[in-house]
């Protein structure tokens, strides 16, 4: 796909590289509309505009180039670097994720045989390593939808590959979110389908641990998803209420502060059941979770999420109290302490939140005057010190 010759650039293409370095998205957009600008042109080192944008850590620019058809797997670079490798080196998890989502191959190696994950690890960009290792392409899952060896039927019915892949790719590991993903697909929400999916993710988990280039991150994630699917299956066998009962159990808060005890214990149990006891990542997780009293921070879910997905996305995002989705903006109008994606998430949580809502409201009222007081003291101090000088 990269038919361009190295360093053979039109004046506008040369300008494009400059504009990318400067980070001027508007100007880049204009240049990409020009006839003499090829989105996959190569500079003298064999770098494409996308590689430059990735290496410089410019997410908007990467997005623009991908929209214009930039080839994410171009490998004309003099040392065999790909755009994914440059993303990993830049340390930007959002860009790394973008490249993977655009179809970047994780197995490609540079001229000294290193993959993008290995290169990122080498320069200490561990969050990017996590993002890469956490990625699982649809093609790898589709392997299980084909009859292998002496099998009479594939391990995974092809119709289940789509919904299962969606769950595997979720960066939100909140158990309620995962149950919602199961629930939204009638094909998936039956004990026999869930059982097949669970067995496939367990196989993937095992493969991740036994392959030469071990991937503990993906193994832990697959195991955890398997536990959630198993829980859904056993719940559906005993109740016919479409998993709502399971969601309620996961959300139910204890009386004093609304902390979801069952959810915490469930996530802890999933971690504990990881079948490869010697795994370094498992030991790290256990060390972080075990000393924490149930109800205190950090929650098992937050420890697991950080270990498995790294810090994908924005640090300042607000999370939904019900399902853990980022960017929740709907605040409970009474206590103003909890956030939701939308009304349906708020509705799901109300049966348990209503027991503590008033209490949280009172706590907030008490805290706020204290905060205002502290703020005014600070200002006074600042004024006084300003007068002294
Ligand atoms: Zn939500
Ligand atoms: Zn409230």
């Amino acid at each position: 796909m990269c038919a361009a010759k190295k360093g053979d650039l039109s004046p506008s293409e040369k300008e494009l590289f400059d504009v990318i370095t400067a980070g001027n998205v508007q100007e880049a957009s204009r240049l990409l509309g020009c006839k003499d600008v090829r989105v996959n042109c190569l500079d003298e080192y064999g770098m494409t505009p996308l590689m430059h944008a990735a290496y410089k850590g410019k997410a908007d620019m990467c997005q623009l180039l991908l929209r214009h058809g930039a080839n994410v797997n171009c490998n004309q670079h003099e040392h065999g670097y790909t755009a994914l490798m440059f993303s990993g080196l830049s340390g930007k998890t959002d860009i790394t994720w973008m490249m993977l989502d655009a179809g970047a191959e994780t197995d490609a190696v540079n001229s000294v045989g290193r993959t993008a994950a290995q290169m990122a690890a080498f320069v200490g960009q561990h969050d990017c390593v996590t993002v890469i290792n956490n990625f699982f392409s649809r093609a790898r899952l589709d392997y299980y939808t084909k009859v292998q060896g002496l099998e009479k039927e594939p391990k995974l019915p092809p119709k289940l590959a789509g919904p299962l892949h969606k769950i595997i790719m979720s960066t939100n590991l909140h158990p309620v979110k995962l149950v919602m993903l199961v629930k939204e697909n009638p094909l998936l929400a039956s004990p026999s389908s869930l059982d097949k999916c669970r067995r496939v993710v367990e196989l993937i988990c095992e493969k991740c641990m036994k392959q030469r280039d071990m991937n503990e991150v993906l193994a832990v994630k697959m195991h955890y998803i398997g536990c959630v699917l198993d829980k859904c299956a056993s719940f559906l066998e005993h109740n016919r209420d479409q998993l709502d009962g399971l969601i309620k159990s996961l959300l139910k808060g204890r009386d004093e502060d609304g902390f979801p005890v069952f959810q915490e214990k469930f996530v802890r149990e999933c971690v504990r059941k990881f079948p490869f006891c010697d795994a370094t990542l498992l030991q790290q997780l256990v060390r972080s979770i075990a000393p924490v009293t149930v109800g205190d921070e950090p929650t098992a879910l937050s420890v697991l999420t950080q270990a498995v997905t790294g810090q994908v996305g924005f640090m300042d995002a607000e999370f939904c109290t019900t399902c853990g989705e980022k960017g929740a903006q709907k605040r409970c109008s009474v206590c103003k302490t909890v956030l939701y994606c939308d009304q349906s998430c708020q509705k799901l949580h109300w049966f348990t939140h209503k027991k503590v809502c008033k209490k949280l409201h009172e706590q907030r009222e008490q805290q706020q005057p204290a905060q205002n007081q502290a703020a005014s003291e600070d200002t006074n101090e600042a004024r006084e010190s300003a007068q002294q000088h």
Side-chain angles (χ1 to χ4, degrees):
M1 260 179 93
C2 294
K5 242 172 78 189
K6 283 180 199 178
D8 177 19
L9 300 171
S10 71
S12 306
E13 287 172 344
K14 276 187 189 141
E15 208 186 326
L16 178 64
F17 281 103
D18 292 340
V19 162
I20 288 171
T21 306
N24 187 341
V25 178
Q26 216 175 357
E27 193 51 23
S29 177
R30 186 189 69 78
L31 284 166
L32 284 164
C34 297
K35 266 204 190 110
D36 59 340
V37 172
R38 297 157 300 166
V39 69
N40 293 313
C41 59
L42 302 170
D43 73 3
E44 66 220 86
Y45 309 103
M47 278 176 84
T48 60
L50 183 65
M51 290 179 189
H52 271 279
Y55 189 49
K56 302 262 156 55
K58 300 193 187 303
D60 298 356
M61 200 66 86
C62 292
Q63 218 151 33
L64 175 77
L65 290 161
L66 287 169
R67 256 205 321 273
H68 277 83
N71 175 11
V72 76
N73 285 316
C74 183
N75 61 351
Q76 300 292 304
H77 180 261
E78 55 178 354
H79 301 306
Y81 288 20
T82 62
L84 180 64
M85 293 174 189
F86 282 114
S87 315
L89 293 174
S90 81
K92 299 280 188 207
T93 51
D94 52 347
I95 296 180
T96 305
W97 185 260
M98 211 186 288
M99 297 303 147
L100 291 162
D101 202 35
E105 285 160 18
T106 51
D107 307 337
V109 290
N110 68 4
S111 56
V112 293
R114 281 212 172 97
T115 63
Q118 288 166 339
M119 285 171 70
F122 191 70
V123 294
Q125 300 294 4
H126 298 291
D127 287 346
C128 290
V129 177
T130 305
V131 170
I132 297 170
N133 286 341
N134 181 39
F135 192 81
F136 193 79
S137 74
R138 177 64 191 266
R140 279 166 82 188
L141 185 62
D142 283 344
Y143 166 83
Y144 297 93
T145 64
K146 289 164 199 134
V147 176
Q148 309 290 341
L150 299 171
E151 285 176 352
K152 286 211 176 66
E153 55 180 48
K155 290 186 181 66
L156 188 68
K159 60 181 185 187
L160 295 181
L164 179 59
H165 191 243
K166 193 171 169 188
I167 292 177
I168 289 174
M169 288 314 294
S170 176
T171 48
N172 177 358
L173 297 182
H174 198 295
V176 170
K177 180 69 193 181
L178 298 180
V179 177
M180 283 173 163
L181 288 174
V182 170
K183 200 187 140 192
E184 77 178 23
N185 200 305
L187 286 175
L188 206 55
S190 84
S192 71
S193 295
L194 287 167
D195 203 46
K196 285 183 182 127
C197 291
R198 179 186 54 79
R199 265 184 270 163
V200 167
V201 293
E202 275 170 8
L203 281 172
I204 298 170
C205 169
E206 202 182 310
K207 212 171 181 179
C208 289
M209 292 305 292
K210 293 190 173 158
Q211 71 201 16
R212 199 171 55 87
D213 194 15
M214 194 165 58
N215 185 347
E216 293 188 354
V217 165
L218 196 58
V220 166
K221 186 181 188 185
M222 291 295 174
H223 162 75
Y224 172 70
I225 290 171
C227 292
V228 175
L229 298 178
D230 192 39
K231 199 80 184 169
C232 290
S234 73
F235 227 83
L236 279 171
E237 266 164 20
H238 299 109
N239 305 271
R240 299 213 162 266
D241 62 355
Q242 308 291 322
L243 298 168
D244 288 337
L246 176 56
I247 292 178
K248 269 201 159 162
S249 309
L250 287 167
L251 289 177
K252 191 172 172 9
R254 64 182 176 194
D255 293 341
E256 58 262 48
D257 58 0
F259 183 85
V261 176
F262 174 79
Q263 183 184 124
E264 174 71 20
K265 287 188 172 163
F266 170 70
V267 177
R268 286 182 180 214
E269 188 189 279
C270 294
V271 172
R272 211 168 22 235
K273 284 197 304 202
F274 187 68
F276 301 92
C277 314
D278 300 336
T280 318
L281 184 59
L282 175 73
Q283 285 167 8
Q284 268 174 28
L285 286 169
V286 171
R287 262 203 305 277
S288 315
I289 296 169
V292 181
T293 313
V294 171
D296 286 354
E297 297 283 330
T299 61
L301 179 63
S302 69
V303 173
L304 180 73
T305 299
Q306 200 189 346
V308 172
T309 66
Q311 279 132 5
V312 185
F314 307 101
M315 295 291 290
D316 57 348
E318 308 273 11
F319 297 92
C320 174
T321 312
T322 300
C323 74
E325 278 290 286
K326 269 183 294 198
Q329 304 214 319
K330 189 169 171 42
R331 209 171 274 277
C332 171
S333 59
V334 180
C335 66
K336 300 200 168 57
T337 57
V338 287
L339 281 162
Y340 302 102
C341 305
D342 51 29
Q343 215 164 13
S344 75
C345 276
Q346 185 171 20
K347 259 190 182 159
L348 275 174
H349 198 236
W350 180 242
F351 80 98
T352 182
H353 179 63
K354 67 182 177 193
K355 292 181 193 152
V356 290
C357 182
K358 229 178 110 186
K359 206 193 255 174
L360 290 171
H361 173 66
E362 282 159 11
Q363 275 171 9
R364 197 181 140 93
E365 291 277 287
Q366 280 164 3
Q367 274 166 9
Q368 222 138 29
Q371 272 170 12
N372 291 346
Q373 180 80 25
S376 79
E377 272 166 15
D378 280 352
T379 339
N380 284 341
E381 240 168 64
R383 202 180 299 134
E384 273 163 29
S385 84
Q387 279 165 358
Q388 280 164 10
H389 294 100

